[in-house]
Amino acid sequence: MLWHIQGPGSLGCLWAARFAAAQQPVRLIVRNPDALARYQQVGVVRLSDANLQQTQSYPINAQLPAHSEPISHLLLTCKAYDATAAIAQVAHRLNQDSLVVLLQNGLGSQQAVQALVPDTCCIVASSTEGAYLTEPFHSVFAGQGEIGLGSLDSKPEPEGLINNCHSAQIPCAWTTAIDTTLWRKLAINCAINPLTVILDCNNGALIAHANLINTLCAELQSLLKAAQHPAAAQDLQQHVWQVIEKTAANSSSMRQDVHNKRRTEISYMTGFACAQSIALECPTPALHALHAQLQAALSMRGLPIS
Ligand code: NAD
Ligand code: KPL
């Protein structure tokens, strides 16, 4: 299986290094000639362990989206807000036998990508692994986790996909309930991430705002039920508090983005949830207020509000 990895940031480089370590053919697709020139100065993807004690280098070929090589297996690892533009750049290289794996947080971008390439099989992923970059193309594997892979429209498991990933030590499993996984993660992210930005605090500090968190959980639970995802709604409040306790010392990914002056994935978290609440006529006033407060907090820091 030849993998093309479009969006070689933290997770893209992690996956690319694993395929390369397993001697599987892999290519990077970078966004523009400047990024290609930057990569070619070094010519390798680096992967370090969490303590930065061991670093391996993998000489992986990189190319531009406009390259002519056909794509059979594409892993898209850009941020949710870049996903449709990215897929549009390589759509001419896909065919009806191609497989695209979408690794974006939140919801909304996956459906938008599939709509742009309706004849191509898109599989969605939800990852709890953690990685960050020390510099371009140097990823640090910061947290063990697992990856659920599945289809949002009941496509069957693509033959060989999971085995291929396992042979590269990628801890993934096929699930027929990926929608439940993604909707529950969305709800957990909506209950935690925006408040950590608004209050500029670690996840654990949210314990002081229990009433608001519980109100948000109740609204999000109604929304998940209205969206026909009752399994994701089950025990939501309990799940949210478990995550807060387990990650008490951590900064949420959205707060990290804000501290790094990076655009957030707000439109695919509270933005998506608010849009669904309107479309499904399921009122979520606290969530709408939170979304507006988050936009104000982003705007104050000079960051995009969508
Ligand atoms: P990242 O910002 O490190 O990497 C994304 C890369 O995509 C960047 O290098 C960017 O330049 C590149 N890119 C954007 N548009 C492109 C295009 N058109 N063509 C080629 N490259 C393009 O992001 P990340 O941390 O790897 O996260 C990817 C997704 O996974 C996000 O949705 C994130 O929320 C999610 N996620 C990340 C982690 C983590 O620990 N990093 C964990 C779970 C989920
Ligand atoms: O996924 C998260 C994030 O920070 O994005 C957690 C830790 C669950 C908080 O919502």
Side-chain angles (χ1 to χ4, degrees):
M1 239 175 231
L2 167 58
W3 281 96
H4 284 80
I5 300 187
Q6 186 179 19
S10 317
L11 288 189
C13 287
L14 171 65
W15 283 58
R18 285 162 161 173
F19 283 127
Q23 318 279 323
Q24 290 197 33
V26 57
R27 314 258 196 275
L28 308 180
I29 301 179
V30 298
R31 69 195 312 173
N32 56 33
D34 283 351
L36 186 59
R38 262 199 310 278
Y39 178 72
Q40 284 169 341
Q41 276 174 6
V42 191
V44 291
V45 166
R46 293 201 175 98
L47 179 62
S48 297
D49 66 319
N51 302 322
L52 293 163
Q53 304 251 294
Q54 285 189 340
T55 300
Q56 305 289 337
S57 299
Y58 301 95
I60 296 172
N61 282 328
Q63 54 184 236
L64 291 170
H67 198 280
S68 59
E69 187 173 55
I71 295 175
S72 64
H73 291 79
L74 179 72
L75 174 68
L76 184 62
T77 52
C78 61
K79 296 278 195 179
Y81 47 75
D82 281 328
T84 50
I87 204 78
Q89 287 184 300
V90 297
H92 65 286
R93 300 171 60 182
L94 301 169
N95 59 55
Q96 57 191 24
D97 297 323
S98 304
L99 180 73
V100 175
V101 175
L102 302 173
L103 213 174
Q104 278 70 46
N105 251 358
L107 274 167
S109 71
Q110 301 90 339
Q111 295 86 338
V113 166
Q114 179 69 83
L116 282 180
V117 288
D119 299 328
T120 299
C121 175
C122 291
I123 294 302
V124 297
S126 176
S127 173
T128 58
E129 295 193 295
Y132 67 89
L133 291 177
T134 55
E135 59 188 324
F137 310 105
H138 183 172
S139 182
V140 178
F141 181 31
Q144 310 257 358
E146 52 207 32
I147 300 130
L149 292 172
S151 166
L152 285 177
D153 51 7
S154 310
K155 290 190 193 88
E157 177 179 347
E159 215 182 305
L161 173 65
I162 300 295
N163 280 346
N164 182 258
C165 291
H166 284 173
S167 62
Q169 314 297 324
I170 295 167
C172 62
W174 183 259
T175 169
T176 52
I178 194 71
D179 51 349
T180 300
T181 308
L182 287 172
W183 277 84
R184 178 175 293 155
K185 185 153 196 287
L186 174 88
I188 293 172
N189 285 162
C190 285
I192 297 176
N193 296 16
L195 264 183
T196 64
V197 171
I198 294 161
L199 302 167
D200 195 18
C201 66
N202 282 345
N203 295 355
L206 297 183
I207 291 166
H209 303 269
N211 285 345
L212 177 53
I213 300 267
N214 291 341
T215 303
L216 287 168
C217 286
E219 288 187 3
L220 287 160
Q221 201 165 24
S222 309
L223 182 61
L224 294 178
K225 286 183 190 156
Q228 310 298 324
H229 297 291
Q234 191 136 21
D235 301 325
L236 179 66
Q237 184 174 311
Q238 204 177 316
H239 282 296
V240 166
W241 284 113
Q242 276 168 1
V243 172
I244 290 174
E245 274 164 36
K246 262 175 97 173
T247 63
N250 297 0
S251 207
S252 76
S253 57
M254 190 178 262
R255 182 171 176 241
Q256 287 178 40
D257 282 339
V258 170
H259 280 191
N260 292 327
K261 300 187 173 20
R262 291 189 63 173
R263 182 175 172 186
T264 68
E265 293 176 302
I266 175 177
S267 292
Y268 305 88
M269 290 187 187
T270 47
F272 179 84
C274 287
Q276 288 290 309
S277 108
I278 293 166
L280 297 168
E281 297 181 16
C282 172
T284 56
L287 183 68
H288 276 83
L290 182 79
H291 180 64
Q293 272 183 286
L294 174 60
Q295 287 184 315
L298 296 176
S299 175
M300 231 172 60
R301 292 168 170 88
L303 289 167
I305 60 164
S306 64

